[in-house]
Amino acid sequence: MGRHADGYNNWRLSRELTIGLIAAVVVVGVVVWWMTARDETNRTHATASPCINGTLALPIQATDSPQLRDLLADYRGSDPVVRDYCVEPQLVSSGADAALMLASGPREITRAALGAVDRTPASDNWPVIFTTPVGIAHTADTEVSGADWPELANRGVVIPAGGNIYARAVAASALSDADADRGVDLLRADRTVTVEDAVADGSKLLAVTEDSTPDGYAFYSPDDLAVNTVAIPLTATDRVSEEQTRAAADLARYVSDHVAQKEPDDAQRQVLSTADIISERFAAVPEQSKGSVDAGTDTLVLLDTSTNMDTLVDGHRIAGHVARLLDPLMLSVGRAGGRVALWNYSSPLSPGVTRAWRDNVTFLDNSAGRNAAEVVKGFGTGGDPLTRSAVPAALGAASQHSAETGRPVRLVIITSGTADSIDDRAFRNALDSSDSEQIVPQIVHVGTAPVDPVLADWATSKGGTAFTADMTVPSMADSLQKAFGVARP
C-alpha cells in the first residue's frame, strides 16, 4: 500500500536528542563560567595585598651606615609580613622607642645600656647583622704588607677618637698584643685626636675601621680582625607594641638565615676578649683634666635627662658620656674655689610632679664639686626635653645666688633640644626677665634634635657661648671644656 506525504519534512531531531543537546550546552556553559570565575579569583588573590592590617613600623635603634641600609633593603625586598602587617623598618635615636637595638662590644655593657632605659632583651640569641673590618689606614708611601699588629705598634700607630669605641678597643688590644693595661693607655693617649686631626698632623698609620679610612689612605687588615654588630630584639613596653616586638623577632630570624654567623679563631678570640676589658675600663674612667678655671666662678649645671640622651655615640649613651666628662670639670670648679650646683630636667615622670626640673645639688653644698660629680653618675633618663620650662627656673636660681654673693655665676646648660610648647616670644621674655649682668650662659647642644635658636641667640647676646657638639666623644669633651672655661695645661 503506498505512503502519503503529510506536508512536513522528517529532518527533526527526536525530543530526547534535543533535550540532551540542550543539557550539554548548559553544562559546557557552566564549566566555562566556573573556570573564568576561578581564574579571576586567582588573579584577584595574586594581586591583593597580604597586609590586611596595613603597615607596621619596626623601630630600630642604630646608627645609619651603608651596611645597615643594604641589609634593610634586602629585608624589605623579602616582603616581610607579621600578623597581617607589612613590616617597615625605621631608625630611631632612643632605646626607649626601639623594638630592636643594634650593638657591638661586651654583652655586659650592652645589657647595662639597656637597663639604663628600662629595656630587656627578648632572648639571648643576638645574631650578627654585619661585621666591620678593623685595621690600619696607611699612606701610599708607607709599606705595611705582611706586618702584624705588634710590629705596627712600634711604628707609631695613632688610634683616633670618634667612630666605634669598641673597634678602637679592638685595635688597642691588637696593637698591645692583648695587654689590657697597655691597651687602655693607648686609647687615653689619643682620646682627643680625631681622624681629621691625625691626617692634618701627617700621621702615616691610623687604626680605623675600613669604612672610616680617610681619603688618600689605603686599608690593611692584619689577621682579618673585625667587629661584630648584633641585632637584639627587645620586649614590649607601653611605647613599643607586641606586634612591633614580633616584627623585631622576624628581622632577627631573617638575619640568622641570611648573614653568615662566623666565629673568630683562637687568636682573634683572645684579642676580642681583651678588647672587652679595655672598653669597660676606658668607659669607666672620667676624662682627666688638670686644667684651671677662673677663680671664684660658681657654676650651675642644668643637665637634660630626657630620652634624647639615650642616643648612642661610640656604643654608649650620650647621657653616660656626658656624666663621665662632667666629673673632672665640676671638680675643676671646686679646686678653683667655686661652688657647683647641679640640676637635671625632663618632662615630669612621677604622679603629682608638675615641674620639669629638679635641683639636686644647690649652691649651699660646700663639697667643692664632689657631691655634684657623684650625683650626676646616678641620673636615669626619661620623658621629653622641656628646656624652655627649665632654663628660666635655673636662670632665676643663678641670678638669686649672684645677687646674694656679689659673684658671677656660670650657667652651663647641656641640652638635646626643645620639646615644650612655649613659643619663641614668651621664652625670650622669660630669659630677658633676669637683668643680672653677672650670669654667663654657656649652652652645649648634644644629640640629633634641632638646636633651640632662641636659647642659642640669648646665650651669645649675653656674652656667653652656644656650642653644638658633633656626634663624637672628642667634640662633646671639647664643647664642655670650653663651656666650663677649663684651660688644659
Side-chain angles (χ1 to χ4, degrees):
M1 198 172 169
R3 298 179 62 187
H4 299 278
D6 58 9
Y8 295 93
N9 67 53
N10 59 0
W11 296 348
R12 291 181 304 167
L13 298 176
S14 68
R15 178 177 296 176
E16 292 80 3
L17 184 57
T18 300
I19 293 172
L21 183 59
I22 292 172
V25 169
V26 171
V27 169
V28 170
V30 169
V31 170
V32 170
W33 171 85
W34 177 81
M35 292 181 68
T36 302
R38 183 190 63 176
D39 290 344
E40 182 63 29
T41 300
N42 288 342
R43 283 195 297 271
T44 300
H45 282 300
T47 58
S49 170
C51 313
I52 299 172
N53 290 327
T55 300
L56 175 69
L58 168 54
I60 303 171
Q61 185 189 25
T63 301
D64 192 17
S65 70
Q67 286 177 298
L68 178 58
R69 286 196 296 271
D70 290 345
L71 187 283
L72 293 182
D74 290 342
Y75 178 63
R76 290 187 183 97
S78 70
D79 297 325
V81 177
V82 172
R83 290 286 182 101
D84 294 328
Y85 288 98
C86 282
V87 179
E88 176 56 35
Q90 60 180 221
L91 302 187
V92 296
S93 60
S94 173
D97 299 319
L100 186 85
M101 186 179 99
L102 303 192
S104 58
R107 284 200 168 210
E108 294 75 12
I109 290 180
T110 299
R111 289 186 182 278
L114 287 170
V117 290
D118 296 324
R119 299 307 306 275
T120 305
S123 75
D124 289 329
N125 180 30
W126 301 354
V128 176
I129 192 167
F130 55 79
T131 60
T132 306
V134 178
I136 301 296
H138 62 93
T139 55
D141 59 349
T142 305
E143 180 58 44
V144 296
S145 179
D148 60 14
W149 286 97
E151 179 184 345
L152 291 166
N154 294 327
R155 295 168 60 180
V157 176
V158 176
I159 310 176
N164 187 322
I165 193 171
Y166 184 65
R168 295 173 59 224
V170 169
S173 177
L175 289 166
S176 65
D177 202 13
D179 182 328
D181 292 333
R182 185 170 165 230
V184 171
D185 289 340
L186 290 175
L187 285 188
R188 288 177 182 161
D190 298 327
R191 68 182 182 276
T192 61
V193 180
T194 65
V195 171
E196 293 76 16
D197 293 336
V199 172
D201 289 342
S203 300
K204 294 181 177 295
L205 299 172
L206 314 178
V208 296
T209 55
E210 185 175 22
D211 56 6
S212 61
T213 302
D215 292 339
Y217 285 67
F219 182 78
Y220 167 66
S221 181
D223 303 328
D224 295 325
L225 271 181
V227 170
N228 288 337
T229 296
V230 296
I232 309 169
L234 306 176
T235 56
T237 67
D238 56 350
R239 298 170 68 164
V240 179
S241 69
E242 291 283 355
E243 287 78 12
Q244 288 174 315
T245 63
R246 291 189 179 95
D250 183 73
L251 176 55
R253 283 190 293 271
Y254 178 88
V255 169
S256 295
D257 293 341
H258 293 82
V259 178
Q261 306 293 303
K262 183 180 178 181
E263 291 293 326
D265 59 31
D266 290 341
Q268 292 171 337
R269 190 175 290 109
Q270 178 63 41
V271 169
L272 294 172
S273 62
T274 304
D276 291 355
I277 299 171
I278 292 171
S279 177
E280 291 181 45
R281 287 187 186 176
F282 182 73
V285 178
E287 291 286 329
Q288 298 301 310
S289 172
K290 298 180 180 178
S292 60
V293 298
D294 297 334
T297 307
D298 293 346
T299 301
L300 170 55
V301 180
L302 178 63
L303 176 62
D304 185 338
T305 52
S306 68
T307 55
N308 286 2
M309 300 294 281
D310 294 331
T311 302
L312 295 181
V313 173
D314 277 0
H316 299 269
R317 298 181 307 132
I318 287 177
H321 288 304
V322 169
R324 182 166 57 88
L325 294 168
L326 284 175
D327 180 299
L329 297 173
M330 292 190 292
L331 294 178
S332 293
V333 174
R335 284 199 304 271
R339 289 180 177 253
V340 180
L342 173 67
W343 292 24
N344 76 307
Y345 75 92
S346 67
S347 56
L349 300 175
S350 302
V353 176
T354 58
R355 297 192 314 178
W357 63 92
R358 276 74 64 185
D359 49 347
N360 307 98
V361 179
T362 71
F363 281 117
L364 296 175
D365 180 74
N366 62 358
S367 68
R370 290 188 298 275
N371 286 338
E374 189 62 31
V375 169
V376 76
K377 299 171 187 174
F379 284 148
T381 52
D384 300 316
L386 300 189
T387 306
R388 293 189 170 188
S389 299
V391 171
L395 176 59
S399 298
Q400 180 179 348
H401 178 71
S402 177
E404 292 171 352
T405 62
R407 293 161 46 164
V409 173
R410 188 183 297 270
L411 176 57
V412 178
I413 302 168
I414 302 152
T415 174
S416 69
T418 295
D420 39 7
S421 58
I422 299 174
D423 64 36
D424 290 356
R425 175 175 293 183
F427 184 42
R428 184 68 197 227
N429 289 340
L431 294 174
D432 289 339
S433 64
S434 171
D435 57 1
S436 175
E437 299 297 325
Q438 294 276 74
I439 307 302
V440 183
Q442 307 281 14
I443 313 301
V444 177
H445 181 91
V446 296
T448 57
V451 175
D452 187 321
V454 176
L455 183 62
D457 178 70
W458 168 75
T460 55
S461 71
K462 294 295 184 180
T465 57
F467 300 105
T468 300
D470 296 335
M471 291 291 283
T472 65
V473 176
S475 179
M476 286 189 285
D478 184 60
S479 297
L480 287 170
Q481 177 187 319
K482 290 176 180 176
F484 272 79
V486 174
R488 290 182 183 272

